[in-house]
Amino acid sequence: MAVSQEAFPARKRRPSVGAFVSPNFSDKKLLQSLFFLSQEISSLQPLRVLLKKTSASIIRKSRMISILFEELVRNPVNIFPPSAALCFEELYIVLQRIKILLEDCSSCSKMWLLMQIPSICNSFRQLIVELSTLLDIFPAKELNLNQDVEELLNLIKKQCSEKAADCTDRSDENLRTEVLKMLENIKREIVPDHSKLFEFFDRLGLNDSTSCSNEIENLEDEVQNQKDDKSKADIVALIGLVRYAKCVLYGASTPRAAIRRQKTIGELNIPADFRCPISLDLMRDPVVVSTGQTYDRSSISLWIESGHATCPKTGQTLSHTQLIPNLSLKNLIAMWCRDQRIPFESTEVNVKPNGVMLNKTALEAIKMTVSFLVNKLTASQTSEAIDRMVHELRVLAKTDSDSRTCIAEAGALPLLVKFLGSENPSLQVNSVTTILNLSILEANKTRIMETDGVLNGVIEVLRSGATWEAKGNAAATIFSLTGVHAYRKKLGKKTRVVKALLDLARMGPTNSKRDAMMAILNLAGDREAMGKLIEGGVVDMVAEVMDSLLEEAVAVLEVVVKRGGLMAVAAIYHGNIVKKLTDVLREGSDRARESAAATLVNICRRGGSEMVAELAAVTGIERIVWEIMGTGTGRARRKAATLLRILRRWAAGLIGEHVHSQHSTTVNMTSTTIVLPS
């Protein structure tokens, strides 16, 4: 079978038996707690789709137990005999486990529940056996139960002693077997029979596009609950089946009238422990060095490769340079990213989200879904129908590298070009965002640049898109493409790209401004593009957005000065640039202060004694610099130390010597990192 019973162990969300402990209650409190707990279980509804008979049976037993304890609460015994107290404590634990299991089954994915039928039935069976054992030793005589209560107790005993197999629904098992066969056929590249597929999904209550979308989200949560890679991959295969069924049975999802743009990482409040101490960005691949400190692999690798033999955070000498993956932290970061609805992916092309490698079944399900959607796009369709199909491709292109590969290889890009100029704003947004998601894959960057009309289409959306969201996602696509040096040079030569990005950065809403700023920052890495940016008014733009997007603005300013644009900066700021940057040193975020310090170093080197004199005249500048040297990022501390040396040489009358000597002794370890938008 493609998916075996063993592939789906018990959910990690459900506590183990050992996690339940006996309550430390008084006799009276324990009796009341048992009554309330059994009442809670009694009030639960039996499961509606799967395990209906099993859940109804155990709820019925709990209802009778609640009546039993209601009688005991009404006619309390002053002191429990030891045997009664022990029995009640164990009953409390068993009832807790029953309640958790029922709630767990009612809230989880239906497809996952179907795959878990054997193990869940066994769990219910064990609980009924334990309940039966405890009722057998129930100290009825010591508690002086009246005849009615004793009869009720005997009735409960009888029901709990019945064979648990009697409450197992064979239709659940048969459905599970049929779905497993379908997964096996998908693995063998056999397209599922649509009538059979409809029958399965209708029985599971997945009978429209919305319920299927909710099911996919629930299955994605299940991936997080598993630690075994094979189990994760098999759940991803189930996601593939549900997504395929949603498309072929109920049509692709209808995009919401006003899709709320997902936040980029730059807009989120990232927990401090999830940031790399060097880059201050969200860690994608956290590793531990010999001192016990954790860094993102790319940042610490660059630090070590630059000749450093110390820990950036502690200053201790590294006993070795081996980097040990911090898997527990990586899992926590991945879970946080999922909660925030932002992608968590390594920059490696073949690494899947959450470390899940797709199995053959999952991959074939993706191929079938993509083939269906692309074929639908080539057929005659209404604008609304096309929009739904493209929206589905957009969602699929966001999931993993295999999906991006399949979509591109199926020939989706030439089709998407046709919709970039659509008068339907939703279709335009979905089309350009699909291209953005596809561009995350390195191989697809080349496809986008080489497929006729795609790049020009994206640029036109950037210039005159129907919505700010479309323009912002076009800017994010340009940002993604400029990650390749050759494409950065090509795009940087296009005046219309530079102008459109600068206009968006000036006039767009905050989200779109940020997308444009990140693309501008990437383009600024090329000298020829920097010339066009300066001609286009990048310094004016930075001055306009400095208050609303401080970190991005100062980062762009740093690159402008570094690439020879100091005169343009000085002209725009009318001699106030040093004061503006020292204000950032006082009150900016860690990243903004880092960029400001680096920019001031370059200004002093390139601007000569006049700029140094202006910096030295700032009130309290040495105190500000000392503060950054003590509390700033690693790079900020190094730049602050350089600024302090500049100020002291100025005070000693040696600034002329400094300008030439310091350039060779200060190492620029890392450039400011701007996060790719989701």
Side-chain angles (χ1 to χ4, degrees), residues 2-3 8 111 183 186-187 219 223 230-244 356-366:
V3 182
F8 295 91
M111 193 67 76
L183 288 168
I186 290 175
K187 181 180 179 181
L219 284 168
V223 175
K230 184 179 184 302
S231 298
K232 289 183 177 183
D234 284 333
I235 296 175
V236 172
L238 294 177
I239 293 174
L241 174 61
V242 177
R243 182 173 280 118
Y244 175 75
V356 180
M357 300 300 294
L358 300 190
N359 57 23
K360 183 71 161 57
T361 307
L363 186 57
E364 291 305 323
I366 290 171

PDB file of all heavy atoms in Angstrom, residues 2-3 8 111 183 186-187 219 223 230-244 356-366:
ATOM      1  N   ALA A   2       0.350   2.331  -0.580  1.00  0.00           N
ATOM      2  CA  ALA A   2       1.091   3.588  -0.576  1.00  0.00           C
ATOM      3  C   ALA A   2       1.200   4.157   0.820  1.00  0.00           C
ATOM      4  O   ALA A   2       2.178   4.759   1.194  1.00  0.00           O
ATOM      5  CB  ALA A   2       0.412   4.603  -1.494  1.00  0.00           C
ATOM      6  N   VAL A   3       0.134   3.980   1.586  1.00  0.00           N
ATOM      7  CA  VAL A   3       0.116   4.487   2.953  1.00  0.00           C
ATOM      8  C   VAL A   3      -0.308   3.346   3.856  1.00  0.00           C
ATOM      9  O   VAL A   3      -1.382   2.790   3.702  1.00  0.00           O
ATOM     10  CB  VAL A   3      -0.873   5.663   3.109  1.00  0.00           C
ATOM     11  CG1 VAL A   3      -0.838   6.194   4.519  1.00  0.00           C
ATOM     12  CG2 VAL A   3      -0.551   6.761   2.116  1.00  0.00           C
ATOM     13  N   PHE A   8       0.967   6.032  10.400  1.00  0.00           N
ATOM     14  CA  PHE A   8       0.241   7.050  11.143  1.00  0.00           C
ATOM     15  C   PHE A   8       0.211   6.718  12.624  1.00  0.00           C
ATOM     16  O   PHE A   8      -0.760   6.174  13.130  1.00  0.00           O
ATOM     17  CB  PHE A   8      -1.186   7.190  10.609  1.00  0.00           C
ATOM     18  CG  PHE A   8      -1.227   7.688   9.202  1.00  0.00           C
ATOM     19  CD1 PHE A   8      -1.236   6.804   8.142  1.00  0.00           C
ATOM     20  CD2 PHE A   8      -1.220   9.044   8.933  1.00  0.00           C
ATOM     21  CE1 PHE A   8      -1.257   7.263   6.840  1.00  0.00           C
ATOM     22  CE2 PHE A   8      -1.244   9.510   7.639  1.00  0.00           C
ATOM     23  CZ  PHE A   8      -1.255   8.621   6.587  1.00  0.00           C
ATOM     24  N   MET A 111      -9.565  12.901   7.014  1.00  0.00           N
ATOM     25  CA  MET A 111      -8.732  11.949   6.281  1.00  0.00           C
ATOM     26  C   MET A 111      -7.728  11.287   7.211  1.00  0.00           C
ATOM     27  O   MET A 111      -7.484  10.078   7.130  1.00  0.00           O
ATOM     28  CB  MET A 111      -8.010  12.674   5.137  1.00  0.00           C
ATOM     29  CG  MET A 111      -7.358  11.737   4.132  1.00  0.00           C
ATOM     30  SD  MET A 111      -8.521  10.758   3.185  1.00  0.00           S
ATOM     31  CE  MET A 111      -9.138  11.960   2.026  1.00  0.00           C
ATOM     32  N   LEU A 183      -4.736   5.586  -3.160  1.00  0.00           N
ATOM     33  CA  LEU A 183      -3.403   6.182  -2.999  1.00  0.00           C
ATOM     34  C   LEU A 183      -2.346   5.331  -3.684  1.00  0.00           C
ATOM     35  O   LEU A 183      -1.399   5.855  -4.287  1.00  0.00           O
ATOM     36  CB  LEU A 183      -3.085   6.342  -1.511  1.00  0.00           C
ATOM     37  CG  LEU A 183      -3.855   7.439  -0.770  1.00  0.00           C
ATOM     38  CD1 LEU A 183      -3.678   7.301   0.734  1.00  0.00           C
ATOM     39  CD2 LEU A 183      -3.415   8.826  -1.225  1.00  0.00           C
ATOM     40  N   ILE A 186      -2.552   6.012  -7.374  1.00  0.00           N
ATOM     41  CA  ILE A 186      -1.927   7.295  -7.709  1.00  0.00           C
ATOM     42  C   ILE A 186      -0.416   7.141  -7.768  1.00  0.00           C
ATOM     43  O   ILE A 186       0.244   7.689  -8.655  1.00  0.00           O
ATOM     44  CB  ILE A 186      -2.339   8.366  -6.677  1.00  0.00           C
ATOM     45  CG1 ILE A 186      -3.815   8.728  -6.838  1.00  0.00           C
ATOM     46  CG2 ILE A 186      -1.477   9.626  -6.824  1.00  0.00           C
ATOM     47  CD1 ILE A 186      -4.339   9.684  -5.782  1.00  0.00           C
ATOM     48  N   LYS A 187       0.122   6.391  -6.827  1.00  0.00           N
ATOM     49  CA  LYS A 187       1.568   6.132  -6.828  1.00  0.00           C
ATOM     50  C   LYS A 187       1.998   5.471  -8.136  1.00  0.00           C
ATOM     51  O   LYS A 187       3.091   5.739  -8.653  1.00  0.00           O
ATOM     52  CB  LYS A 187       1.919   5.245  -5.634  1.00  0.00           C
ATOM     53  CG  LYS A 187       3.393   4.915  -5.512  1.00  0.00           C
ATOM     54  CD  LYS A 187       3.639   4.028  -4.304  1.00  0.00           C
ATOM     55  CE  LYS A 187       5.110   3.664  -4.170  1.00  0.00           C
ATOM     56  NZ  LYS A 187       5.357   2.783  -3.004  1.00  0.00           N
ATOM     57  N   LEU A 219      -4.852  18.865   7.733  1.00  0.00           N
ATOM     58  CA  LEU A 219      -3.784  17.903   7.438  1.00  0.00           C
ATOM     59  C   LEU A 219      -2.410  18.553   7.572  1.00  0.00           C
ATOM     60  O   LEU A 219      -1.450  17.917   8.023  1.00  0.00           O
ATOM     61  CB  LEU A 219      -3.966  17.331   6.030  1.00  0.00           C
ATOM     62  CG  LEU A 219      -5.061  16.275   5.875  1.00  0.00           C
ATOM     63  CD1 LEU A 219      -5.355  16.007   4.399  1.00  0.00           C
ATOM     64  CD2 LEU A 219      -4.674  14.977   6.577  1.00  0.00           C
ATOM     65  N   VAL A 223       0.876  17.378   9.968  1.00  0.00           N
ATOM     66  CA  VAL A 223       2.300  17.222   9.639  1.00  0.00           C
ATOM     67  C   VAL A 223       3.153  17.683  10.810  1.00  0.00           C
ATOM     68  O   VAL A 223       4.169  17.075  11.159  1.00  0.00           O
ATOM     69  CB  VAL A 223       2.654  18.014   8.358  1.00  0.00           C
ATOM     70  CG1 VAL A 223       4.155  17.963   8.090  1.00  0.00           C
ATOM     71  CG2 VAL A 223       1.900  17.452   7.161  1.00  0.00           C
ATOM     72  N   LYS A 230       8.694   9.691   7.463  1.00  0.00           N
ATOM     73  CA  LYS A 230       7.839   8.910   6.567  1.00  0.00           C
ATOM     74  C   LYS A 230       6.369   9.226   6.821  1.00  0.00           C
ATOM     75  O   LYS A 230       5.575   9.370   5.885  1.00  0.00           O
ATOM     76  CB  LYS A 230       8.088   7.418   6.743  1.00  0.00           C
ATOM     77  CG  LYS A 230       7.292   6.554   5.760  1.00  0.00           C
ATOM     78  CD  LYS A 230       7.587   5.083   5.947  1.00  0.00           C
ATOM     79  CE  LYS A 230       6.838   4.273   4.887  1.00  0.00           C
ATOM     80  NZ  LYS A 230       5.384   4.486   4.928  1.00  0.00           N
ATOM     81  N   SER A 231       6.010   9.352   8.096  1.00  0.00           N
ATOM     82  CA  SER A 231       4.622   9.682   8.426  1.00  0.00           C
ATOM     83  C   SER A 231       4.262  11.063   7.887  1.00  0.00           C
ATOM     84  O   SER A 231       3.172  11.270   7.343  1.00  0.00           O
ATOM     85  CB  SER A 231       4.423   9.653   9.944  1.00  0.00           C
ATOM     86  OG  SER A 231       4.663   8.361  10.456  1.00  0.00           O
ATOM     87  N   LYS A 232       5.180  12.008   8.023  1.00  0.00           N
ATOM     88  CA  LYS A 232       4.936  13.350   7.495  1.00  0.00           C
ATOM     89  C   LYS A 232       4.712  13.297   5.982  1.00  0.00           C
ATOM     90  O   LYS A 232       3.789  13.915   5.455  1.00  0.00           O
ATOM     91  CB  LYS A 232       6.117  14.260   7.813  1.00  0.00           C
ATOM     92  CG  LYS A 232       6.249  14.633   9.286  1.00  0.00           C
ATOM     93  CD  LYS A 232       7.411  15.588   9.482  1.00  0.00           C
ATOM     94  CE  LYS A 232       7.511  16.033  10.937  1.00  0.00           C
ATOM     95  NZ  LYS A 232       8.592  17.016  11.138  1.00  0.00           N
ATOM     96  N   ALA A 233       5.578  12.544   5.304  1.00  0.00           N
ATOM     97  CA  ALA A 233       5.470  12.457   3.850  1.00  0.00           C
ATOM     98  C   ALA A 233       4.157  11.807   3.434  1.00  0.00           C
ATOM     99  O   ALA A 233       3.538  12.202   2.435  1.00  0.00           O
ATOM    100  CB  ALA A 233       6.660  11.674   3.288  1.00  0.00           C
ATOM    101  N   ASP A 234       3.703  10.821   4.180  1.00  0.00           N
ATOM    102  CA  ASP A 234       2.443  10.151   3.854  1.00  0.00           C
ATOM    103  C   ASP A 234       1.247  11.070   4.089  1.00  0.00           C
ATOM    104  O   ASP A 234       0.251  11.009   3.370  1.00  0.00           O
ATOM    105  CB  ASP A 234       2.296   8.867   4.667  1.00  0.00           C
ATOM    106  CG  ASP A 234       3.182   7.742   4.127  1.00  0.00           C
ATOM    107  OD1 ASP A 234       3.479   7.758   2.927  1.00  0.00           O
ATOM    108  OD2 ASP A 234       3.577   6.866   4.915  1.00  0.00           O
ATOM    109  N   ILE A 235       1.335  11.921   5.109  1.00  0.00           N
ATOM    110  CA  ILE A 235       0.256  12.895   5.329  1.00  0.00           C
ATOM    111  C   ILE A 235       0.254  13.911   4.183  1.00  0.00           C
ATOM    112  O   ILE A 235      -0.805  14.331   3.719  1.00  0.00           O
ATOM    113  CB  ILE A 235       0.414  13.595   6.690  1.00  0.00           C
ATOM    114  CG1 ILE A 235       0.271  12.584   7.829  1.00  0.00           C
ATOM    115  CG2 ILE A 235      -0.635  14.692   6.853  1.00  0.00           C
ATOM    116  CD1 ILE A 235       0.524  13.155   9.212  1.00  0.00           C
ATOM    117  N   VAL A 236       1.430  14.290   3.704  1.00  0.00           N
ATOM    118  CA  VAL A 236       1.510  15.196   2.558  1.00  0.00           C
ATOM    119  C   VAL A 236       0.865  14.546   1.330  1.00  0.00           C
ATOM    120  O   VAL A 236       0.247  15.220   0.499  1.00  0.00           O
ATOM    121  CB  VAL A 236       2.973  15.591   2.272  1.00  0.00           C
ATOM    122  CG1 VAL A 236       3.084  16.379   0.977  1.00  0.00           C
ATOM    123  CG2 VAL A 236       3.526  16.426   3.419  1.00  0.00           C
ATOM    124  N   ALA A 237       0.985  13.219   1.223  1.00  0.00           N
ATOM    125  CA  ALA A 237       0.318  12.504   0.126  1.00  0.00           C
ATOM    126  C   ALA A 237      -1.199  12.638   0.244  1.00  0.00           C
ATOM    127  O   ALA A 237      -1.907  12.794  -0.762  1.00  0.00           O
ATOM    128  CB  ALA A 237       0.724  11.030   0.136  1.00  0.00           C
ATOM    129  N   LEU A 238      -1.706  12.575   1.467  1.00  0.00           N
ATOM    130  CA  LEU A 238      -3.147  12.774   1.680  1.00  0.00           C
ATOM    131  C   LEU A 238      -3.556  14.190   1.287  1.00  0.00           C
ATOM    132  O   LEU A 238      -4.633  14.406   0.719  1.00  0.00           O
ATOM    133  CB  LEU A 238      -3.503  12.511   3.148  1.00  0.00           C
ATOM    134  CG  LEU A 238      -3.335  11.076   3.661  1.00  0.00           C
ATOM    135  CD1 LEU A 238      -3.670  11.013   5.148  1.00  0.00           C
ATOM    136  CD2 LEU A 238      -4.204  10.112   2.885  1.00  0.00           C
ATOM    137  N   ILE A 239      -2.694  15.168   1.595  1.00  0.00           N
ATOM    138  CA  ILE A 239      -2.976  16.554   1.193  1.00  0.00           C
ATOM    139  C   ILE A 239      -3.090  16.632  -0.334  1.00  0.00           C
ATOM    140  O   ILE A 239      -3.987  17.285  -0.877  1.00  0.00           O
ATOM    141  CB  ILE A 239      -1.871  17.499   1.696  1.00  0.00           C
ATOM    142  CG1 ILE A 239      -1.892  17.586   3.227  1.00  0.00           C
ATOM    143  CG2 ILE A 239      -2.033  18.895   1.088  1.00  0.00           C
ATOM    144  CD1 ILE A 239      -0.749  18.381   3.826  1.00  0.00           C
ATOM    145  N   GLY A 240      -2.177  15.936  -1.006  1.00  0.00           N
ATOM    146  CA  GLY A 240      -2.215  15.920  -2.470  1.00  0.00           C
ATOM    147  C   GLY A 240      -3.507  15.336  -3.001  1.00  0.00           C
ATOM    148  O   GLY A 240      -4.086  15.849  -3.976  1.00  0.00           O
ATOM    149  N   LEU A 241      -3.988  14.256  -2.375  1.00  0.00           N
ATOM    150  CA  LEU A 241      -5.242  13.632  -2.801  1.00  0.00           C
ATOM    151  C   LEU A 241      -6.420  14.579  -2.595  1.00  0.00           C
ATOM    152  O   LEU A 241      -7.280  14.725  -3.477  1.00  0.00           O
ATOM    153  CB  LEU A 241      -5.467  12.332  -2.022  1.00  0.00           C
ATOM    154  CG  LEU A 241      -6.810  11.627  -2.248  1.00  0.00           C
ATOM    155  CD1 LEU A 241      -6.970  11.228  -3.713  1.00  0.00           C
ATOM    156  CD2 LEU A 241      -6.940  10.401  -1.341  1.00  0.00           C
ATOM    157  N   VAL A 242      -6.474  15.229  -1.442  1.00  0.00           N
ATOM    158  CA  VAL A 242      -7.587  16.143  -1.149  1.00  0.00           C
ATOM    159  C   VAL A 242      -7.562  17.330  -2.109  1.00  0.00           C
ATOM    160  O   VAL A 242      -8.603  17.766  -2.615  1.00  0.00           O
ATOM    161  CB  VAL A 242      -7.533  16.626   0.317  1.00  0.00           C
ATOM    162  CG1 VAL A 242      -8.644  17.632   0.590  1.00  0.00           C
ATOM    163  CG2 VAL A 242      -7.652  15.448   1.280  1.00  0.00           C
ATOM    164  N   ARG A 243      -6.368  17.856  -2.379  1.00  0.00           N
ATOM    165  CA  ARG A 243      -6.277  19.011  -3.282  1.00  0.00           C
ATOM    166  C   ARG A 243      -6.731  18.619  -4.689  1.00  0.00           C
ATOM    167  O   ARG A 243      -7.439  19.379  -5.372  1.00  0.00           O
ATOM    168  CB  ARG A 243      -4.845  19.543  -3.302  1.00  0.00           C
ATOM    169  CG  ARG A 243      -4.671  20.767  -4.188  1.00  0.00           C
ATOM    170  CD  ARG A 243      -3.302  21.377  -4.066  1.00  0.00           C
ATOM    171  NE  ARG A 243      -3.195  22.197  -2.868  1.00  0.00           N
ATOM    172  CZ  ARG A 243      -2.358  21.978  -1.865  1.00  0.00           C
ATOM    173  NH1 ARG A 243      -1.550  20.934  -1.905  1.00  0.00           N
ATOM    174  NH2 ARG A 243      -2.328  22.768  -0.825  1.00  0.00           N
ATOM    175  N   TYR A 244      -6.333  17.429  -5.129  1.00  0.00           N
ATOM    176  CA  TYR A 244      -6.749  16.953  -6.454  1.00  0.00           C
ATOM    177  C   TYR A 244      -8.267  16.804  -6.500  1.00  0.00           C
ATOM    178  O   TYR A 244      -8.923  17.259  -7.446  1.00  0.00           O
ATOM    179  CB  TYR A 244      -6.075  15.618  -6.763  1.00  0.00           C
ATOM    180  CG  TYR A 244      -6.538  14.990  -8.061  1.00  0.00           C
ATOM    181  CD1 TYR A 244      -6.109  15.482  -9.291  1.00  0.00           C
ATOM    182  CD2 TYR A 244      -7.430  13.915  -8.052  1.00  0.00           C
ATOM    183  CE1 TYR A 244      -6.548  14.921 -10.479  1.00  0.00           C
ATOM    184  CE2 TYR A 244      -7.871  13.349  -9.231  1.00  0.00           C
ATOM    185  CZ  TYR A 244      -7.434  13.852 -10.445  1.00  0.00           C
ATOM    186  OH  TYR A 244      -7.878  13.297 -11.619  1.00  0.00           O
ATOM    187  N   VAL A 356      10.120  17.918   5.082  1.00  0.00           N
ATOM    188  CA  VAL A 356       9.390  16.763   4.564  1.00  0.00           C
ATOM    189  C   VAL A 356       9.788  16.513   3.116  1.00  0.00           C
ATOM    190  O   VAL A 356       9.637  17.379   2.263  1.00  0.00           O
ATOM    191  CB  VAL A 356       7.866  16.997   4.645  1.00  0.00           C
ATOM    192  CG1 VAL A 356       7.122  15.797   4.098  1.00  0.00           C
ATOM    193  CG2 VAL A 356       7.454  17.257   6.081  1.00  0.00           C
ATOM    194  N   MET A 357      10.303  15.323   2.838  1.00  0.00           N
ATOM    195  CA  MET A 357      10.602  14.925   1.470  1.00  0.00           C
ATOM    196  C   MET A 357       9.364  14.234   0.899  1.00  0.00           C
ATOM    197  O   MET A 357       8.822  13.319   1.507  1.00  0.00           O
ATOM    198  CB  MET A 357      11.800  13.984   1.439  1.00  0.00           C
ATOM    199  CG  MET A 357      13.076  14.588   2.012  1.00  0.00           C
ATOM    200  SD  MET A 357      13.626  16.064   1.132  1.00  0.00           S
ATOM    201  CE  MET A 357      14.050  15.346  -0.455  1.00  0.00           C
ATOM    202  N   LEU A 358       8.899  14.675  -0.263  1.00  0.00           N
ATOM    203  CA  LEU A 358       7.696  14.107  -0.841  1.00  0.00           C
ATOM    204  C   LEU A 358       7.938  12.672  -1.306  1.00  0.00           C
ATOM    205  O   LEU A 358       8.975  12.362  -1.871  1.00  0.00           O
ATOM    206  CB  LEU A 358       7.230  14.952  -2.023  1.00  0.00           C
ATOM    207  CG  LEU A 358       6.895  16.418  -1.742  1.00  0.00           C
ATOM    208  CD1 LEU A 358       6.222  17.022  -2.967  1.00  0.00           C
ATOM    209  CD2 LEU A 358       5.992  16.559  -0.541  1.00  0.00           C
ATOM    210  N   ASN A 359       6.954  11.797  -1.057  1.00  0.00           N
ATOM    211  CA  ASN A 359       7.058  10.439  -1.582  1.00  0.00           C
ATOM    212  C   ASN A 359       6.425  10.395  -2.969  1.00  0.00           C
ATOM    213  O   ASN A 359       5.878  11.372  -3.464  1.00  0.00           O
ATOM    214  CB  ASN A 359       6.419   9.427  -0.622  1.00  0.00           C
ATOM    215  CG  ASN A 359       4.962   9.737  -0.332  1.00  0.00           C
ATOM    216  OD1 ASN A 359       4.292  10.402  -1.121  1.00  0.00           O
ATOM    217  ND2 ASN A 359       4.479   9.261   0.800  1.00  0.00           N
ATOM    218  N   LYS A 360       6.481   9.225  -3.594  1.00  0.00           N
ATOM    219  CA  LYS A 360       6.000   9.086  -4.974  1.00  0.00           C
ATOM    220  C   LYS A 360       4.511   9.406  -5.080  1.00  0.00           C
ATOM    221  O   LYS A 360       4.058  10.039  -6.042  1.00  0.00           O
ATOM    222  CB  LYS A 360       6.270   7.650  -5.443  1.00  0.00           C
ATOM    223  CG  LYS A 360       5.900   7.356  -6.894  1.00  0.00           C
ATOM    224  CD  LYS A 360       6.853   8.030  -7.857  1.00  0.00           C
ATOM    225  CE  LYS A 360       6.805   7.406  -9.250  1.00  0.00           C
ATOM    226  NZ  LYS A 360       5.492   7.401  -9.886  1.00  0.00           N
ATOM    227  N   THR A 361       3.736   8.972  -4.097  1.00  0.00           N
ATOM    228  CA  THR A 361       2.289   9.222  -4.132  1.00  0.00           C
ATOM    229  C   THR A 361       2.005  10.717  -4.113  1.00  0.00           C
ATOM    230  O   THR A 361       1.187  11.217  -4.893  1.00  0.00           O
ATOM    231  CB  THR A 361       1.607   8.555  -2.925  1.00  0.00           C
ATOM    232  OG1 THR A 361       1.978   7.179  -2.874  1.00  0.00           O
ATOM    233  CG2 THR A 361       0.102   8.670  -3.017  1.00  0.00           C
ATOM    234  N   ALA A 362       2.665  11.436  -3.208  1.00  0.00           N
ATOM    235  CA  ALA A 362       2.451  12.885  -3.100  1.00  0.00           C
ATOM    236  C   ALA A 362       2.840  13.590  -4.396  1.00  0.00           C
ATOM    237  O   ALA A 362       2.136  14.485  -4.875  1.00  0.00           O
ATOM    238  CB  ALA A 362       3.243  13.441  -1.928  1.00  0.00           C
ATOM    239  N   LEU A 363       3.967  13.184  -4.972  1.00  0.00           N
ATOM    240  CA  LEU A 363       4.451  13.821  -6.192  1.00  0.00           C
ATOM    241  C   LEU A 363       3.493  13.586  -7.356  1.00  0.00           C
ATOM    242  O   LEU A 363       3.190  14.508  -8.121  1.00  0.00           O
ATOM    243  CB  LEU A 363       5.847  13.294  -6.530  1.00  0.00           C
ATOM    244  CG  LEU A 363       6.561  13.963  -7.707  1.00  0.00           C
ATOM    245  CD1 LEU A 363       6.689  15.462  -7.482  1.00  0.00           C
ATOM    246  CD2 LEU A 363       7.934  13.339  -7.918  1.00  0.00           C
ATOM    247  N   GLU A 364       3.011  12.355  -7.493  1.00  0.00           N
ATOM    248  CA  GLU A 364       2.082  12.060  -8.585  1.00  0.00           C
ATOM    249  C   GLU A 364       0.756  12.792  -8.401  1.00  0.00           C
ATOM    250  O   GLU A 364       0.130  13.218  -9.376  1.00  0.00           O
ATOM    251  CB  GLU A 364       1.843  10.550  -8.688  1.00  0.00           C
ATOM    252  CG  GLU A 364       3.054   9.755  -9.174  1.00  0.00           C
ATOM    253  CD  GLU A 364       3.586  10.253 -10.500  1.00  0.00           C
ATOM    254  OE1 GLU A 364       2.774  10.648 -11.367  1.00  0.00           O
ATOM    255  OE2 GLU A 364       4.814  10.271 -10.685  1.00  0.00           O
ATOM    256  N   ALA A 365       0.316  12.947  -7.147  1.00  0.00           N
ATOM    257  CA  ALA A 365      -0.921  13.693  -6.891  1.00  0.00           C
ATOM    258  C   ALA A 365      -0.761  15.150  -7.320  1.00  0.00           C
ATOM    259  O   ALA A 365      -1.684  15.754  -7.889  1.00  0.00           O
ATOM    260  CB  ALA A 365      -1.284  13.606  -5.411  1.00  0.00           C
ATOM    261  N   ILE A 366       0.419  15.721  -7.049  1.00  0.00           N
ATOM    262  CA  ILE A 366       0.693  17.100  -7.473  1.00  0.00           C
ATOM    263  C   ILE A 366       0.663  17.197  -8.995  1.00  0.00           C
ATOM    264  O   ILE A 366       0.050  18.111  -9.563  1.00  0.00           O
ATOM    265  CB  ILE A 366       2.068  17.562  -6.936  1.00  0.00           C
ATOM    266  CG1 ILE A 366       2.021  17.744  -5.418  1.00  0.00           C
ATOM    267  CG2 ILE A 366       2.489  18.875  -7.597  1.00  0.00           C
ATOM    268  CD1 ILE A 366       3.376  17.981  -4.786  1.00  0.00           C
TER     269      ILE A 366
END
